[in-house]
Amino acid sequence: MQLQLPADIIAALRRLECAGYAAYCVGGCVRDGLLGRQTADYDIATTALPQQVKTVFAGCRTADTGIAHGTVTVLWRGRALEITTFRREAAYSDGRHPDRVAFGGTIKTDLARRDFTVNAMACGADGRILDPFGGRADLAAKQLRCVGDPAVRFKEDALRILRAVRFVGVLGFAVEPATAAAMAAQAPGLGRISAERIGAEFVRCIAGRYARQALQGYPAVFAQFMPPYGDFSCTDSHLPVRLALLFGSCRHPARAAQTLVLLRQPGALCRTVRFLVQTRSWPATADRWQLRVLTHRWGSDRLQLLCRLKVQMGSPVAARALAVAADIQAQGDCTALSQLAVSGRDLQQVGLAPGRRLGACLDWLLGEVMADRLPNRRAALLAAAQNWSAGNSGAV
């Protein structure tokens, strides 16, 4: 079997070959190509040294993104290519990065330093696959296996443990027994990995179609950075819903939700998940007026995510609530002061002075419109505001 690479990638490989260097696509792009998955990231390994790569691609913009480890990023025909010199690596004293890198060797020795067999394949410009460690067979078997001794691989870089779990969660792969045993034994090594890197792998895993398989199969790994959790089953594709459902299965959900903060995840995601966890006991309703009020209070996006969460929790009316909430947004129902047909300046022109009374009048008008007791039309709202003002002359 051969792999058909994009024309611009073939051209980049040929340019290196014409300059006298060996060059191959390596890693994830080869794996994903064999799986029939779309990929935008192509990594190239070559015998060319970094400065030689720059010479070959003279006229292209380049960046020394990982020059100490032999990597140059080349902007090639609108695509950022990471081109790395063949290398061997010394010991990993910090459990994350090699102490020294030696350039040279062959494509086989370069692939030998990689984590899993399915990532240790290469593809030339002619589409032929180089597979010295049985990656294609493991790919066909949907099996994850380390290149070489798994204990050594995970001691070198403990983040590989979480990468393995992510492969389970995203692709549904099984982990062969020796690799799985090493993952559990080496899991405490995740303490040497930055919170951001752990968080990135964790979130990608939970977003995966097979997240339940990963959570059930590798509790010792997840125990390194989050509290014990219960059963997890989610058919919704929205990440905040999946995370809220997982944290909601913990003994102390609100405390569990802080895991995202500790893992340095984006503030917007942390706040949304915290909101979902805190409001998951909401008794879902499909009443349009109540859902307008909640849209005003929480925002349409959060309300719809909450409805989705309640669907996953088994609420019998949550699906209808979601449909109504989505329709409120689609139809542009008035749920915010900015949607009223009058503004504070309009109310001043009919006699209301700036201040708290004017604000109270606007709030009242919005409530009346949301309850369908007033149409959202300028003339009707101004008349109602004048009547309200006359009847509330002493209100503050």
Side-chain angles (χ1 to χ4, degrees), residues 273-294:
V273 172
R274 184 168 60 245
F275 162 79
L276 293 175
V277 168
Q278 290 172 343
T279 56
R280 72 193 190 284
S281 60
W282 168 62
T285 175
D287 181 81
R288 195 175 189 97
W289 170 71
Q290 292 189 45
L291 290 173
R292 285 171 177 166
V293 172
L294 293 176

Side-chain angles (χ1 to χ4, degrees), residues 33-388:
L34 291 172
L35 286 173
R37 290 165 56 92
Q38 293 290 328
T39 184
D41 297 325
Y42 285 84
D43 295 336
I44 293 175
T46 179
T47 52
L49 295 171
Q51 189 55 52
Q52 293 169 329
V53 169
K54 293 181 182 181
T55 300
V56 170
F57 290 94
C60 297
R61 291 178 59 188
T62 64
D64 295 346
T65 48
I67 197 72
H69 297 99
T71 300
V72 175
T73 297
V74 177
L75 187 61
W76 171 253
R77 300 185 182 180
R79 195 194 300 263
L81 296 180
E82 287 198 352
I83 303 179
T84 304
T85 307
F86 288 172
R87 68 191 198 217
R88 297 185 179 90
E89 296 170 348
Y92 288 62
S93 298
D94 64 355
R96 182 70 185 93
H97 305 96
D99 295 340
R100 294 187 313 280
V101 169
F103 298 138
T106 65
I107 185 61
K108 182 176 180 178
T109 57
D110 186 81
L111 295 174
R113 66 183 176 79
R114 297 176 185 270
D115 48 9
F116 307 111
T117 60
V118 296
N119 293 334
M121 294 181 284
C123 179
D126 58 3
R128 289 190 302 121
I129 305 295
L130 302 181
D131 179 21
F133 304 105
R136 287 176 66 180
D138 285 338
L139 206 59
K142 294 186 175 181
Q143 173 178 260
L144 205 62
R145 179 167 55 93
C146 279
V147 175
D149 185 341
V152 173
R153 292 283 87 84
F154 295 139
K155 283 181 181 178
E156 288 174 344
D157 183 358
L159 187 63
R160 289 169 173 165
I161 298 169
L162 269 182
R163 286 202 194 107
V165 173
R166 189 238 301 168
F167 273 107
V168 175
V170 173
L171 297 176
F173 281 18
V175 181
E176 65 90 21
T179 300
M183 287 168 61
Q186 300 291 332
L190 288 171
R192 300 193 298 271
I193 305 301
S194 72
E196 292 90 342
R197 297 304 297 271
I198 291 175
E201 295 291 344
F202 167 65
V203 166
R204 291 175 69 184
C205 176
I206 301 305
R209 180 180 177 184
Y210 305 96
R212 184 183 189 189
Q213 184 175 322
L215 288 161
Q216 289 182 333
Y218 305 95
V221 175
F222 291 99
Q224 303 303 314
F225 53 86
M226 70 169 288
Y229 46 85
D231 187 34
F232 174 85
S233 180
C234 186
T235 58
D236 196 285
S237 63
H238 292 71
L239 179 60
V241 173
R242 299 177 75 85
L243 289 166
L245 198 64
L246 173 61
F247 294 137
S249 73
C250 297
R251 179 172 296 180
H252 302 289
R255 194 180 306 166
Q258 288 297 106
T259 298
L260 290 178
V261 177
L262 297 175
L263 294 180
R264 308 288 178 82
Q265 292 306 288
L269 177 64
C270 295
R271 290 189 293 273
T272 299
V273 172
R274 184 168 60 245
F275 162 79
L276 293 175
V277 168
Q278 290 172 343
T279 56
R280 72 193 190 284
S281 60
W282 168 62
T285 175
D287 181 81
R288 195 175 189 97
W289 170 71
Q290 292 189 45
L291 290 173
R292 285 171 177 166
V293 172
L294 293 176
T295 299
H296 170 68
R297 182 184 305 168
W298 294 333
S300 181
D301 290 346
R302 281 191 169 186
L303 175 59
Q304 290 184 51
L305 287 173
L306 181 59
C307 291
R308 290 180 177 277
L309 176 60
K310 296 297 289 189
V311 168
Q312 296 299 314
M313 294 171 64
S315 167
V317 300
R320 284 194 293 122
L322 175 60
V324 175
D327 191 63
I328 287 172
Q329 182 181 41
Q331 297 299 324
D333 287 19
C334 183
T335 60
L337 291 175
S338 61
Q339 293 175 286
L340 279 176
V342 295
S343 66
R345 180 172 296 178
D346 295 323
L347 298 191
Q348 291 179 49
Q349 292 175 358
V350 296
L352 271 77
R356 294 172 62 184
R357 286 188 71 245
L358 188 148
C361 183
L362 284 171
D363 288 339
W364 176 78
L365 290 173
L366 177 61
E368 295 298 288
V369 170
M370 287 195 297
D372 289 324
R373 289 190 289 265
L374 276 175
N376 190 22
R377 293 199 296 269
R378 177 182 170 81
L381 295 181
L382 289 177
Q386 287 177 311
N387 291 335
W388 180 91

